[in-house]
Amino acid sequence: MEFFANEGKNVEITVNGTTYMRHAIKTHFVKQGEDYIEIFKKYVSPIYEEGDIVSSSEKIIALCQNRVVRRDELKIGFWAKFLSRFAIRGSAAGIGVGETIKMQYAITKVGLPRVLWASIAGGVCKLFGKRGVFYEIVGQEVAGLDGFYGKVWEEYGDLGIENPENPSGVCDEIKEKLGISCMIVDANDLGQEVLGYSSDINLSEEELHGLIADNPCGQGKQTTPIILIRKKA
């Protein structure tokens, strides 16, 4: 098969001395409530070979699981308005808690005391050049919230997408039903994290991270949320 890479990305990547080929799989625009098994069956099964690893964006899995929150479900309060003034508003990768809607989500999700502590600790650490402490304290549920950002996809302007539930369990289900070894990742051009992977995969999390370290899915409207990874012959 011919391997396809998004613009600015490479087909090949070398991890711990082994070279892999990555193929960006173009799908339809996945919407809330779809079936991820059917998506994998349609787009991955026809080209998958034993020994391949498939990397899936966490966003499409979460949408299939209805792991979403709508803007009108979050009532913006005083503390969200106040604290967001002191935070970074976001980047090309999406919004941060500098936007009141995400700060309110953080308060709703983990509670005001924890968010206050995270804000204070994060502010102090910034003075010493250390960033990201806020998200370390509030946790991955808040850090992983996607959406509420309509500059790339208008459909996500009023929709927040949470982390998928039990990502390793989802991967094992895909492996059991379709025979596809896979991992679910939260990735953008600024950073990547492996959220879960099927139990048959024998690579370390560090190696799995290395396979998608350049975010081969892309950051814009590529609609390539699934990456097929194959060891180069």
Side-chain angles (χ1 to χ4, degrees):
M1 61 173 281
E2 183 177 355
F3 283 72
F4 166 79
N6 282 308
E7 184 178 358
K9 311 295 180 179
N10 296 317
V11 166
E12 294 189 8
I13 196 167
T14 300
V15 179
N16 285 351
T18 301
T19 300
Y20 298 84
M21 308 280 286
R22 285 97 50 84
H23 176 60
I25 299 176
K26 196 169 186 64
T27 70
H28 65 279
F29 182 77
V30 177
K31 296 182 179 180
Q32 182 180 351
E34 293 195 45
D35 185 339
Y36 52 77
I37 295 295
E38 292 302 316
I39 292 170
F40 270 66
K41 184 185 296 184
K42 178 178 180 179
Y43 294 107
V44 181
S45 290
I47 59 174
Y48 183 85
E49 294 182 1
E50 188 67 30
D52 292 347
I53 296 175
V54 173
S55 173
S56 172
S57 162
E58 92 291 359
K59 185 181 294 182
I60 64 168
I61 303 299
L63 284 168
C64 290
Q65 293 178 328
N66 291 304
R67 296 272 295 163
V68 300
V69 58
R70 300 189 179 279
R71 187 179 293 271
D72 58 13
E73 295 173 354
L74 294 171
K75 184 178 180 181
I76 306 297
F78 165 80
W79 284 109
K81 294 176 184 177
F82 177 74
L83 294 173
S84 64
R85 293 165 54 193
F86 303 98
I88 297 174
R89 295 188 66 83
S91 67
I95 69 166
V97 289
E99 298 288 343
T100 55
I101 189 69
K102 187 162 186 179
M103 184 65 80
Q104 184 60 56
Y105 174 82
I107 292 170
T108 302
K109 198 71 177 177
V110 304
L112 179 59
R114 189 167 166 187
V115 171
L116 285 172
W117 165 237
S119 299
I120 294 169
V124 171
C125 288
K126 279 182 186 177
L127 297 177
F128 296 94
K130 183 177 181 181
R131 297 184 176 275
V133 173
F134 178 93
Y135 290 111
E136 290 178 11
I137 294 174
V138 296
Q140 181 59 32
E141 280 190 296
V142 175
L145 182 72
D146 213 338
F148 291 135
Y149 184 74
K151 290 186 178 180
V152 178
W153 295 104
E154 292 181 6
E155 291 88 346
Y156 297 150
D158 294 316
L159 187 72
I161 306 170
E162 300 179 298
N163 280 335
E165 184 177 7
N166 190 16
S168 289
V170 169
C171 293
D172 280 335
E173 181 190 2
I174 292 170
K175 175 64 178 178
E176 179 184 353
K177 292 182 177 179
L178 301 177
I180 295 171
S181 301
C182 61
M183 60 178 172
I184 296 173
V185 305
D186 181 358
N188 56 54
D189 287 343
L190 301 180
Q192 308 80 35
E193 181 172 356
V194 177
L195 300 182
Y197 52 94
S198 49
S199 55
D200 66 298
I201 293 177
N202 56 19
L203 296 180
S204 67
E205 287 195 23
E206 182 181 3
E207 289 171 317
L208 292 175
H209 179 274
L211 296 175
I212 47 91
D214 58 344
N215 187 28
C217 284
Q219 194 64 54
K221 286 197 170 187
Q222 293 91 342
T223 59
T224 52
I226 301 174
I227 304 294
L228 179 82
I229 304 167
R230 181 173 297 166
K231 190 180 294 187
K232 188 175 181 180

